Amino acid sequence: MDKKLLIIDGLNLIRRLYAALESEQDLERRVERTQSIAIEALAKLTHQFEPSYAVVVFDSNGKTWRHKVYPEYKLGRVPMDDALLESLADFARVFRFNHLPCLRIDGWEADDLIATLAVKAAQNNVKSYIVSTDKGFTQLLGDDRILQYDYFAKLGYDKIWVPGKYGVEPHQLTDYWALVGDTTNRIPGVKGIGPKTALGIIREFPTIEDIYANLASFSERTQKMLAGGYEQCLLSRSLVALKTDVDIGVRLSQLRYQHK
């Protein structure tokens, strides 16, 4: 049987389950209900994927390298309810009790840890399934051994899905997002450039460096929009690009999933 690693974006799952229970007025009860539904979700996922290894990855509290590089990163995003924030350690305890290892490293977003785990697993010929609704992970799908699964929509994404959705290959997504921006995380693109224009540009020249080395090839209108945006594009690309080389200090064998 092929070895599989199930990587669950912990906060992505918990926040969505919690949001679905907004009619529950008692916050303590709402957190408890979220916890029990999250355990059910994890049980369904482990049953569905039958992984050899599994891990739930959490964000660290506070600022990460992206905030240091770009203070406006994620600015204006709706903060988590205090009741939920204070209970995250309890979620991790309950997940561990249910035989699911949890991972969190100070100063790192879950996204970078997840990307590193998936890429390292792929290098060891282990197929990874990233459970998250976060579109950022689609940049990793160029590798056949990395797949993404949306638990809520019950949809799986692979390298064939990406061009149908965005019009570019997975490895081109960071350059594409550098042009159009990423509103979810408050990362700016080039003013005036939307998806259609960005695709036209990237089909001509696939990277930010190539685009700016060949500005004269574009129409006057496109040149005007791109003018002076080189540094911003490089910054935006570095912010949307997931790190795949974080020193996690965890061996795959430590994430072995014991099927009950």
Side-chain angles (χ1 to χ4, degrees):
M1 191 184 80
D2 287 342
K3 287 187 172 173
K4 290 183 276 190
L5 167 63
L6 183 65
I7 310 173
I8 294 152
D9 184 350
L11 217 49
N12 181 271
L13 181 76
I14 291 164
R15 283 188 85 154
R16 280 183 162 253
L17 294 173
Y18 183 79
L21 295 170
E22 62 183 346
S23 58
E24 175 62 73
Q25 296 301 304
D26 182 338
L27 284 186
E28 204 173 311
R29 173 93 180 111
R30 187 175 173 186
V31 168
E32 280 170 14
R33 284 180 65 193
T34 304
Q35 211 170 78
S36 78
I37 297 166
I39 293 157
E40 277 170 36
L42 296 179
K44 283 178 191 166
L45 287 162
T46 49
H47 179 73
Q48 180 179 344
F49 290 101
E50 298 188 322
S52 326
Y53 312 96
V55 61
V56 184
V57 185
F58 287 91
D59 288 302
S60 77
N61 296 336
K63 303 210 180 318
T64 67
W65 67 270
R66 286 185 179 87
H67 294 98
K68 287 173 191 154
V69 171
Y70 187 65
E72 286 166 60
Y73 179 64
K74 287 189 176 176
L75 202 67
R77 191 180 265 201
V78 180
M80 212 186 310
D81 281 358
D82 287 345
L84 185 60
L85 183 64
E86 284 158 19
S87 66
L88 289 178
D90 293 331
F91 274 88
R93 266 194 291 277
V94 173
F95 293 168
R96 285 193 187 102
F97 183 76
N98 283 271
H99 311 285
L100 277 156
C102 294
L103 178 67
R104 175 180 165 273
I105 299 176
D106 279 344
W108 287 101
E109 280 182 79
D111 299 10
D112 293 318
L113 305 184
I114 289 168
T116 298
L117 287 166
V119 168
K120 289 224 165 105
Q123 287 164 355
N124 288 293
N125 227 16
V126 173
K127 202 170 220 179
S128 286
Y129 293 86
I130 299 170
V131 179
S132 179
T133 61
D134 189 332
K135 70 174 186 185
F137 295 118
T138 50
Q139 66 188 267
L140 305 172
L141 302 182
D143 192 316
D144 288 323
R145 295 159 300 186
I146 301 176
L147 299 157
Q148 184 173 356
Y149 183 70
D150 180 338
Y151 172 76
F152 300 94
K154 302 289 180 271
L155 286 174
Y157 307 125
D158 60 10
K159 73 194 270 183
I160 294 160
W161 174 86
V162 175
K165 169 74 174 171
Y166 296 105
V168 296
E169 295 299 326
H171 70 273
Q172 298 177 297
L173 278 169
T174 54
D175 291 280
Y176 170 76
W177 286 327
L179 290 173
V180 298
D182 174 11
T183 48
T184 327
N185 293 317
R186 201 71 182 271
I187 297 168
V190 175
K191 200 176 176 190
I193 291 183
K196 199 176 166 188
T197 310
L199 285 183
I201 292 170
I202 279 181
R203 283 197 188 112
E204 290 275 321
F205 300 101
T207 68
I208 297 304
E209 288 84 353
D210 290 339
I211 291 162
Y212 278 89
N214 294 279
L215 273 184
S217 311
F218 296 108
S219 70
E220 206 174 308
R221 182 175 169 271
T222 304
Q223 282 186 53
K224 269 187 183 161
M225 285 191 288
L226 288 166
Y230 182 59
E231 295 299 329
Q232 179 59 64
C233 278
L234 292 182
L235 173 64
S236 293
R237 185 178 65 184
S238 75
L239 292 167
V240 295
L242 298 176
K243 298 275 189 199
T244 58
D245 57 356
V246 182
D247 184 8
I248 288 178
V250 171
R251 290 188 307 278
L252 201 53
S253 57
Q254 292 172 274
L255 305 177
R256 193 173 295 283
Y257 180 67
Q258 305 294 330
H259 291 270
K260 296 190 283 297

